[in-house]
Amino acid sequence: MIKVDVKGCSSFVKDEQYQAYVAKAFDAFDVLKNESGAGNDFLGWKKLPRQITERELHDYEAIRDKWMKKGVDLVIAIGIGGSYLGAKCVLEALSHNFAKQLKRKDAPEVVFAGNNLSEEYLAELMDLASERNVACIVISKSGTTTEPAVAFRIVKQFLESRYGKAEAADRIVAITDARKGALKTLATQENYESFVVPDNVGGRFSVLTPVGLLPICVAGFDINALVAGALDAMKGLEIKSEKNPAIIYAAMRNCLFKELGKSTEILVNYNPKLTYVAEWWKQLYGESEGKEGTGIFPASVNNTADLHSMGQFIQEGTRIMFETVLHVDNAQRSMVIEQDPQNLDQLNYLAGQHVEHCNHMAELGTQIAHIDGGVPQMAVTMEKVDAFNLGGLLYFFEFACGISAYILGVNPFNQPGVEAYKKNMFALLEKPGYEEATKAIKERL
Ligand code: PA5
């Protein structure tokens, strides 16, 4: 079970101040539970852990098995934003740090594309593809997003010229809307195996739909455990109580924002495998809360590395932030510091200690230093970084996000601001239909 500790905020906010936000969190919890708030037609994610069937999980496993029989060793997962970050964060968290170098072959390697428009990236991806046995998962809920569409056109042409049209179609799975969008049309016409992103689940809440589950499964990870962890967390999160970790987290972050003006939240990790959990979290909170001139800016650091770069600013720079530390109780590997007879590095005082003990002391020491420097501290604790605990963590953050955004008074489930750049990009690219916008934007250059 995920735990949230807010002791590191106690010297900054009075208990009465915090309790006022717990009361707001209770109201927001009811709105989320009763589905009576803004964006309530996008609450499908809430029920996913209970709704996912064994059959569905088996369908994903069947694709992995089919591709493995063909000898596929590289799967290109194409998508951006919510159609990318959930799978990426789980894969990064569950993979061996040196999986690429170790070249383990128990499942295909999954790489990502369609999350940028870099020509170099795509050309170099094709360098890799040309040496490997390739399949592709193309993901776009709307089916119309430019970045994945560009990447898919290139990958599709590569697969068709390498394997022929029929075999290429057997190596492509599309995940998109049930009815509309260019990807849906293409998938139907080309007869790709397809999965649906439910209408009532937004991109950033879609990690427990095929959007996240298929790439994670194809990469050889335990989606049953991921879903079981989410379900386990869900049972605790559904209870309206001041001990509910989502209520504590949502209440305190809003209290710090509104009462102290702490407008930046830094998600801190002490394990490189969690770097992309922060990237996923940034999208979840950034897109859900950053609108109507409000919202807490989500940032992240990877410690202890960033203590040697961002640490200075966090300790002494502009006092705009609070931190939420992702604390992991137990490392899953063991590495003990040995005695050295010469002790030239003067580390013998640590002989016999686990490296993770040093990591935990760095974490604790940093939290105390940052409190002294005026940066309130929260901690979100998970037992270990495995599929079960990760499922719980992701569901916790989603649930807390719904509550937090409702406390803030915004619709957590839309993202109107994302359209602004697209309109300009299409105008500059002279997309048919954008003639007037093209003229207008060119006059501004
Ligand atoms: O959270 C969201 O809805 C967005 O970030 C989308 O996931 C992102 O824009 C990709 O959209 P699509 O899956 O429609 O290509």
Side-chain angles (χ1 to χ4, degrees):
M1 179 63 181
I2 298 300
K3 285 181 265 173
V4 175
D5 182 349
V6 293
K7 278 199 296 293
C9 300
S10 60
S11 56
F12 298 90
V13 289
K14 295 195 189 84
D15 194 47
E16 311 87 83
Q17 284 177 304
Y18 170 62
Q19 288 305 334
Y21 284 86
V22 171
K24 289 178 200 278
F26 280 166
D27 291 345
F29 177 95
D30 288 339
V31 170
L32 191 62
K33 185 171 176 220
N34 302 332
E35 311 202 347
S36 54
N40 62 11
D41 44 347
F42 279 95
L43 288 171
W45 58 271
K46 257 195 332 169
K47 301 188 182 110
L48 286 173
R50 263 198 200 101
Q51 280 174 347
I52 295 164
T53 61
E54 271 182 33
R55 162 121 194 244
E56 190 182 329
L57 299 181
H58 180 75
D59 286 346
Y60 308 143
E61 285 157 3
I63 289 169
R64 181 187 62 205
D65 295 347
K66 176 179 84 174
W67 284 350
M68 285 187 74
K69 269 197 201 125
K70 290 178 191 282
V72 167
D73 60 7
L74 182 78
V75 174
I76 303 174
I78 296 178
I80 194 167
S83 295
Y84 155 62
L85 283 163
K88 174 76 176 171
C89 106
V90 174
L91 256 56
E92 290 284 319
L94 298 183
S95 293
H96 191 289
N97 276 301
F98 302 98
K100 274 188 210 122
Q101 292 85 346
L102 285 167
K103 298 195 175 122
R104 289 186 176 153
K105 288 259 183 321
D106 38 0
E109 183 183 352
V110 174
V111 295
F112 293 88
N115 52 43
N116 62 66
L117 281 170
S118 161
E119 186 158 349
E120 279 181 15
Y121 186 94
L122 282 168
E124 290 174 14
L125 175 70
M126 289 302 104
D127 292 343
L128 175 66
S130 65
E131 292 184 4
R132 305 284 285 271
N133 190 335
V134 186
C136 170
I137 302 169
V138 54
I139 309 168
S140 177
K141 184 178 187 219
S142 63
T144 55
T145 309
T146 308
E147 291 90 333
V150 168
F152 185 55
R153 183 179 279 216
I154 290 164
V155 172
K156 176 177 183 286
Q157 281 169 357
F158 166 84
L159 290 171
E160 287 176 354
S161 74
R162 157 88 71 90
Y163 302 108
K165 223 169 156 38
E167 176 60 14
D170 206 37
R171 289 166 177 257
I172 294 171
V173 171
I175 303 177
T176 191
D177 188 88
R179 289 169 294 277
K180 58 180 192 309
L183 182 56
K184 171 67 189 164
T185 311
L186 192 62
T188 309
Q189 185 188 299
E190 304 284 333
N191 212 14
Y192 299 149
E193 186 158 2
S194 298
F195 294 95
V196 168
V197 194
D199 284 346
N200 57 0
V201 180
R204 58 191 173 274
F205 289 84
S206 68
V207 62
L208 295 176
T209 71
V211 171
L213 294 176
L214 180 61
I216 295 165
C217 175
V218 164
F221 295 108
D222 188 349
I223 47 176
N224 289 279
L226 189 82
V227 174
L231 181 59
D232 185 63
M234 178 183 186
K235 288 177 187 159
L237 293 166
E238 283 173 336
I239 300 166
K240 187 177 170 185
S241 145
E242 57 189 26
K243 294 201 175 115
N244 181 325
I247 288 183
I248 300 172
Y249 177 62
M252 187 54 92
R253 66 196 298 281
N254 276 281
C255 178
L256 294 168
F257 176 46
K258 292 281 184 193
E259 300 298 314
L260 302 184
K262 301 287 185 189
S263 57
T264 299
E265 176 176 7
I266 305 176
L267 194 69
V268 185
N269 74 71
Y270 284 80
N271 181 337
K273 290 185 176 183
L274 299 178
T275 302
Y276 269 87
V277 170
E279 296 307 314
W280 171 85
W281 169 89
K282 283 192 240 178
Q283 188 206 357
L284 182 66
Y285 281 79
E287 275 192 353
S288 300
E289 295 193 326
K291 52 195 71 157
E292 298 173 34
T294 190
I296 300 167
F297 183 79
S300 64
V301 291
N302 303 308
N303 287 351
T304 58
D306 284 341
L307 290 173
H308 299 260
S309 61
M310 296 301 288
Q312 171 60 36
F313 192 107
I314 297 168
Q315 188 68 46
E316 296 182 343
T318 323
R319 305 293 71 193
I320 50 171
M321 78 280 281
F322 62 97
E323 289 185 307
T324 299
V325 178
L326 275 181
H327 175 81
V328 181
D329 275 337
N330 301 308
Q332 297 194 81
R333 301 291 298 272
S334 170
M335 188 58 65
V336 172
I337 300 169
E338 302 287 351
Q339 187 83 19
D340 181 287
Q342 283 199 295
N343 196 28
L344 291 176
D345 55 12
Q346 297 178 6
L347 282 182
N348 274 355
Y349 78 102
L350 292 175
Q353 293 286 6
H354 284 268
V355 175
E356 200 61 16
H357 171 71
C358 304
N359 201 22
H360 280 163
M361 291 310 105
E363 181 182 317
L364 189 56
T366 305
Q367 283 182 283
I368 295 168
H370 288 182
I371 289 171
D372 292 346
V375 181
Q377 301 286 306
M378 284 199 267
V380 172
T381 296
M382 64 197 289
E383 190 199 326
K384 55 186 170 179
V385 183
D386 65 2
F388 183 86
N389 283 280
L390 210 54
L393 182 74
L394 300 182
Y395 191 81
F396 155 76
F397 274 132
E398 290 180 351
F399 200 84
C401 183
I403 297 175
S404 182
Y406 281 142
I407 298 177
L408 203 59
V410 297
N411 176 352
F413 307 112
N414 65 3
Q415 54 286 325
V418 178
E419 296 309 311
Y421 97 91
K422 290 186 193 166
K423 218 177 86 199
N424 289 345
M425 177 178 73
F426 291 145
L428 290 164
L429 288 171
E430 302 183 22
K431 185 174 175 170
Y434 282 76
E435 290 75 9
E436 282 198 13
T438 299
K439 197 166 158 270
I441 203 162
K442 287 202 167 166
E443 278 163 14
R444 291 176 59 185
L445 299 179

